[in-house]
Amino acid sequence: MFSAPHLLGIKNLNRNDIEMVFAQADHFKEVLRRPIKKVPSLRDVTIANLFFENSTRTRISFELAEKRLSADTLNFSASSSSTKKGETLIDTVNNILAMKVDMVVMRHASPGSCVFLAKHISASIVNAGDGTHEHPTQALLDAYSIRERLGNVEGKNVLIIGDILHSRVALSNIYCLQKLGAKVKLCGPPTLIPRHITSLGVEVEYDIEKALQWCDVANILRIQLERQTVQYIPSLREYALYYGVNKKRLENLAKPIVIMHPGPINRGVEITSDVADGEHSIILDQVENGVAIRMAVLYLLNQVRVGDQAQVVK
Ligand code: CP
């Protein structure tokens, strides 16, 4: 059984939890290849997708995962809701739960918002990205995609390049990859690397050429201009020049490396189109695997939820 009632972050998971998600995702990937891509696993389970912040991939991926599992879903978008009239997060969610919702998938701009919610409501909560804190399902699908391409995550050298300071993807990836036995190195402008990040057991390399030479996998992050309250880099052009991953940089390497990006991509800034769309890119595999991973997470959390309810009834 999954060790937690919610998926709030990777930090509190153990390796067994992660491997359980992968094994379940293997099964659901097989389901998704069938002519009828649907199973009744979450029939009669109601899931609310609460997106207080923009999303394309995560939102569609969760919705599709829920539909493939036969769950009943409802979608909430903050921009067209009563939060605009001053309603609090707890009031909004409690009103939705009063309509008998079993699980909540939430994206919110505030770090810790899912942890806060978990203390106040009884439904299972899945963090779909909370500010600059964690994005656990992204890290799970990233590690799963590395495992799929390279056979294993253990012992692999994974480089995360770019805006680490504002990235929930970076933090969740660091926790997930380390729990699976990978070595993690970070690369980016000093202004976008948090000062005490090495306390997490990662190394930092500021020279992109050396960093790329070291790695088996490069996970390239977006420059998050919307989260930058001050100017951390002189210009996007300069960022592309010093830290952008382009074909010339990859041609200089001793061996091909796997190219990843969580999306959305700023083409021509952190990655050029020929690299993003090239033969070593697994960017669209990441998106495809996201559905199976999210099916697995929802399925496993529902098992915990139903188990807890059975105990209460006894
Ligand atoms: N990777 C990711 O979280 O993308 P979205 O913001 O489009 O969901």
Side-chain angles (χ1 to χ4, degrees), residues 23-91:
Q24 197 60 49
D26 286 342
H27 168 66
F28 287 134
K29 264 206 93 163
E30 185 274 316
V31 168
L32 293 173
R33 279 190 219 108
R34 294 179 194 166
I36 297 170
K37 305 173 180 59
K38 202 161 177 163
V39 285
S41 314
L42 294 194
R43 203 168 54 199
D44 295 331
V45 176
T46 305
I47 305 178
N49 299 310
L50 310 185
F51 279 72
F52 293 87
E53 207 190 49
N54 293 345
S55 168
T56 300
R57 276 146 293 271
T58 312
R59 184 182 182 136
I60 292 172
S61 183
F62 267 112
E63 197 179 338
L64 201 54
E66 291 154 9
K67 286 184 159 65
R68 301 294 193 219
L69 291 166
S70 306
D72 295 320
T73 65
L74 60 97
N75 294 310
F76 164 94
S77 169
S79 57
S80 56
S81 74
S82 289
T83 53
K84 291 276 171 208
K85 301 175 193 164
E87 189 168 60
T88 65
L89 175 63
I90 293 288
D91 281 342

Side-chain angles (χ1 to χ4, degrees), residues 195-209:
R195 197 174 294 173
H196 301 294
I197 196 81
T198 50
S199 65
L200 295 180
V202 296
E203 288 179 27
V204 177
E205 170 61 69
Y206 295 108
D207 181 329
I208 183 87
E209 323 288 350

Side-chain angles (χ1 to χ4, degrees), residues 249-302:
R249 288 205 155 111
L250 297 186
E251 279 168 356
N252 290 334
L253 303 179
K255 62 174 191 318
I257 59 170
V258 177
I259 298 294
M260 302 175 71
H261 194 305
I265 295 174
N266 292 317
R267 287 177 184 262
V269 180
E270 68 267 4
I271 187 170
T272 53
S273 283
D274 49 9
V275 174
D277 305 329
E279 60 176 322
H280 301 297
S281 166
I282 60 164
I283 294 172
L284 291 180
D285 298 346
Q286 292 172 259
V287 178
E288 182 187 338
N289 287 334
V291 179
I293 284 288
R294 289 176 176 120
M295 287 171 79
V297 165
L298 294 167
Y299 176 81
L300 291 168
L301 287 180
N302 188 56

